[in-house]
Amino acid sequence: MSTPRRRWRRWRTALGLRGRLMLIGVAGVSVGLAVGGLVLLGALNWALQRAVDTEAFRTADAVALLAAEDALPDPLPVAGGQVRVQVVDGQGRVRAASIDADRLVPMVRPERLDPGVRQRLTVPGQRVGLAGPVRVVVVPAGTPADPLTVLVARSMADARHSADLVRTILLISFPLLVAVLAAVAWRVVGATLRPVEALRRGAEEITGRDGGGRLPVPASHDEIHRLAVTLNGMLARLRSARDRQRAFVADAAHELRSPLTNIRTELEVAQRLADRTDWPTVTANLLADTERLSRLVDDLLLLARLDDAPPVRATGPVELGALLESVAARYPSPPMRLVTPATPLWTVGDPDEVRRVLTNLVDNAVRHARTEVTLSAAATAPEGAGRHDAGAPATRAVGRGPVPAIGTGAARRTGTGGTVAYHLVTVTDDGPGIPAADRDRVFDRFTRLDDARARDAGGAGLGLAIVRELVRRAGGTVELTDAEDGAGLQVRLLLPALPDPERP
């Protein structure tokens, strides 16, 4: 049982897609033609038999009319040599007949006749004296006192000959037509699959080493054209991802090599100086390089996890005021100045991730600020709802005097037509700022502007890249703008607002 099935699978696989499609198409057409031929033969037989019955009834009605007028001639006149007519009385005797009909024996046995009913019967040709099966129609005639029955027999030989001729023509033309359709189907399927073969050859020519490679796109705007366009788009995305991966690996290797080189240099110098080595200084330098290397590795692992993690995950509420206070407490005042809201501001997200976002932003601001860094948070109002003053900020003494409230209406539309408010967190420094042309580029990985290329003072260029990925996961946005007084840079961070869970 399994062996024939295995052979069938091997044969089907060896046949190929073109052969299978041609075979399926030809088989379907063959079944359709066979069914159509059977229906045609059935309809032809029915039509021919109906024509014979109609002619016979016409002759029988004419003879019945003569019998009703008691004007039956002897012999009964008929047209053609394939017709026999008899008039039989109630006792089964032949009262009148055509010239070729039997005058002693009725064409139909009396027990098959229903008095007073028009009938259609088929009798053997030997009983009537005609070739082949014979169609006999029965028509009642005469009077109630002298009932008669008119029998008219017509040969079915001509009808059978016509049906046999059509059947022979179908049997001869059917294989020829199937063969022609098979050849046409083979060519048509081949022409249809030709673009697929071109795609296969194009894909075979693409290697993992070359930087380009595109699949040929057929001119016809059909499913294969759309498939080629989709595959080329996929190849472009894969090529872009590969280029980003190569650049990421190259930048990561370059950044990792710097602290490793410093560590090796410190150890080699200490080895040569031997007893003259200032081990406390060497130890401090090595610890600094090790800490920098550890931060870089942690950042790389975090970015790798963010790339693989889903864009949204279940998180809990986070109170921004308390989080800002804990972040600002890590820095001296001045330059740090914190502006806290008068009421709690709740957002949704992972507390550690939001803390990492704020820490990276404040680290960058402190690194580039001249005298002051301002960290503030404020509630924003949905579009069309006016200004929301419930969270008007109050000033906390971590530096100089009060800072004006920051925030205008900000919201995003939901799929049901409503709005979702955001909380605005700003980090402002009075440093040199970032040119407008570079404000999008600084969020790319390993991107450092000219004034931040010193690795001892600046980072590895991963801080803002981490900020962008974490803010996306939290459902917020981040942008860089000029400070309000025109001097310095302001980072505007919008995080989704949540109702105060402590309110009833």
Side-chain angles (χ1 to χ4, degrees), residues 131-160:
V134 176
R135 193 71 169 173
V136 179
V137 298
V138 180
V139 175
T143 62
D146 186 18
L148 300 175
T149 301
V150 179
L151 305 175
V152 177
R154 289 185 65 92
S155 175
M156 295 289 294
D158 293 340
R160 290 295 179 89

Side-chain angles (χ1 to χ4, degrees), residues 26 37 102 231 243 255 325 353 384 450 463:
V26 172
D102 194 334
L231 292 178
D243 293 341
E255 295 295 333
E325 290 182 1
E353 292 184 357
D450 292 338

